[in-house]
Amino acid sequence: MNKLARVSLGHFPTPVQELPALSAALGGPRILVKRDDMTGLAFGGNKTRKLEFLAAEAKAQGAGMLITAGAVQSNHCRQTAAAARRLGMDCTLVLVGRPTLHPEANTFLDMLFGAELIWVKPEKRDLRLKEVFAAKHAAKRKPYLIPYGGSSPLGAAAYAYAMQELFKQAIRPDWIVFASSSGGTQAGLAAGAALLDSKAKILGISVDEKAKTLAERAAALATETMTLLGEKRKFKTGEMRVNDEYLGAGYAEMGQPEHEAIHLFARHEGLLLDPVYTGRAAAGLVDLIRKGHIKKKETVLFWHTGGTPALFAEKYRTALLD
Ligand SMILES: *Cc1c(COP(=O)(O)O)cnc(C)c1O
């Protein structure tokens, strides 16, 4: 594995914890959780890992500021805004949604970090991002563009290293289950597994995309990530395990399955999940255990990717107490 430049933004390795009470409640397999919600940068999450590599490249290029885009409650934007401050840079975020007088949860944190927020309609996101970048460049601000979800080969490589980190913790699960969206986490884990010759079944629970679309993207990204890591290996779409049966009413729309999963983890283990990503992935995990798809004699590792600040957005807070 090539060694890539990295800056320190989080606390690694993140802990791995057993969830015996949840396992007993489900009559299911041994369940472990990899706590990437504890990476430590501004409430943590999977983007911290990616940002350690992306920010290293930004620094090497002499960047003066970071620019990225995301949804209103983007965990990626929140961690990017925090990373920029840690590195003495400014940050501009292109957020899909309407400006609000009552910033909540992640948006509130973006503002606390003093990020510049630019609100756009969904169809204008990519165009606005390009325009903002060009304007900052022209103003000699030396912007560095962080891709959506931090999911370039460089960002995804962080999860190949994360897989190596898990191996060093002497953890060899039969399954690794996690929330998958822009595909960087999945691509990196798949690349890492290939490099380490891991037999673990790596299953991304899609939070907003059809399985085929996400699997195609993750496979292409995993192939490019391998190249970056110095290995030639082509991933096929069919090699990527993606499950899209838990999309419910769509992205960021919390339904009964997420509601149940968040309560199960909270009440059996004192562990917090988020309503958009890990709540949905955990709902999938619980269902797959109940159906016997993940077997009692197996060990499953739930890779907690963060997102918990979104719990405090009014929309989710009230629904969760119903
Ligand atoms: C971004 C994010 C994901 C998805 O990761 P990708 O690499 O974009 O697939 C999962 N969980 C949380 C909490 C996230 O913020």
Side-chain angles (χ1 to χ4, degrees):
M1 227 191 268
N2 280 348
K3 211 167 152 53
L4 303 173
R6 179 173 188 172
V7 297
S8 171
L9 295 169
H11 307 296
F12 298 106
T14 55
V16 175
Q17 182 184 333
E18 293 257 359
L19 303 183
L22 180 67
S23 180
L26 294 171
R30 180 174 177 223
I31 306 173
L32 306 173
V33 60
K34 174 77 167 155
R35 299 291 306 273
D36 276 10
D37 56 321
M38 291 179 62
T39 57
L41 177 73
F43 295 128
N46 63 342
K47 305 311 180 304
T48 304
R49 287 190 188 270
K50 300 176 181 185
L51 284 162
E52 289 202 336
F53 295 90
L54 295 163
E57 185 175 81
K59 272 185 78 170
Q61 292 178 6
M65 63 175 303
L66 303 179
I67 300 181
T68 199
V72 184
Q73 282 302 329
S74 168
N75 303 299
H76 166 64
C77 288
R78 180 231 324 145
Q79 288 162 88
T80 302
R85 290 314 190 194
R86 276 283 293 274
L87 300 167
M89 296 185 201
D90 290 326
C91 180
T92 295
L93 301 172
V94 174
L95 294 179
V96 174
R98 293 167 182 280
T100 166
L101 287 175
H102 304 287
E104 293 185 294
N106 280 307
T107 318
F108 159 71
L109 296 171
D110 296 341
M111 294 176 75
L112 207 54
F113 291 124
E116 177 189 22
L117 306 187
I118 296 175
W119 297 94
V120 293
K121 295 196 176 113
E123 64 277 12
K124 288 276 164 62
R125 186 192 77 191
D126 294 349
L127 178 69
R128 270 308 267 143
L129 192 57
K130 272 192 197 132
E131 287 172 358
V132 170
F133 184 85
K136 301 293 181 192
H137 182 72
K140 304 249 181 312
R141 301 281 306 278
K142 299 191 178 147
Y144 178 86
L145 186 67
I146 306 243
Y148 196 64
S151 286
S152 59
L154 184 58
Y159 268 87
Y161 288 107
M163 194 72 185
Q164 197 177 44
E165 177 184 300
L166 184 71
F167 258 54
K168 283 190 188 144
Q169 289 173 308
I171 311 280
R172 305 278 190 278
D174 299 296
W175 291 88
I176 296 178
V177 178
F178 55 96
S180 195
S181 173
S182 67
T185 302
Q186 181 140 17
L189 290 176
L195 288 163
L196 294 160
D197 216 9
S198 159
K199 298 284 172 286
K201 288 171 266 197
I202 295 171
L203 174 63
I205 305 289
S206 177
V207 299
D208 57 358
E209 206 92 71
K210 281 298 197 193
K212 187 165 176 287
T213 314
L214 181 50
E216 271 168 12
R217 188 191 303 149
L221 194 50
T223 303
E224 290 176 76
T225 304
M226 281 300 255
T227 307
L228 186 68
L229 292 168
E231 298 274 334
K232 226 175 134 53
R233 161 89 154 80
K234 191 169 159 31
F235 288 86
K236 298 193 200 80
T237 303
E239 287 178 86
M240 296 286 149
R241 279 194 179 79
V242 179
N243 184 318
D244 64 1
E245 284 166 37
Y246 306 100
L247 295 174
Y251 178 71
E253 296 299 333
M254 189 179 66
Q256 189 49 40
E258 292 87 7
H259 189 288
E260 193 211 357
I262 291 170
H263 280 81
L264 273 173
F265 276 66
R267 300 197 177 184
H268 288 293
E269 297 287 354
L271 186 64
L272 296 173
L273 302 176
D274 83 285
V276 182
Y277 296 93
T278 54
R280 182 158 289 176
L285 172 70
V286 166
D287 186 55
L288 293 170
I289 289 173
R290 284 178 177 151
K291 283 178 176 160
H293 190 73
I294 296 174
K295 299 195 175 56
K296 206 174 160 139
K297 62 175 197 309
E298 294 182 307
T299 295
V300 55
L301 180 128
F302 182 70
W303 205 303
H304 195 318
T305 46
T308 47
L311 281 173
F312 298 97
E314 160 93 15
K315 157 174 162 175
Y316 302 124
R317 204 161 31 93
T318 35
L320 282 166
L321 292 180
D322 264 357

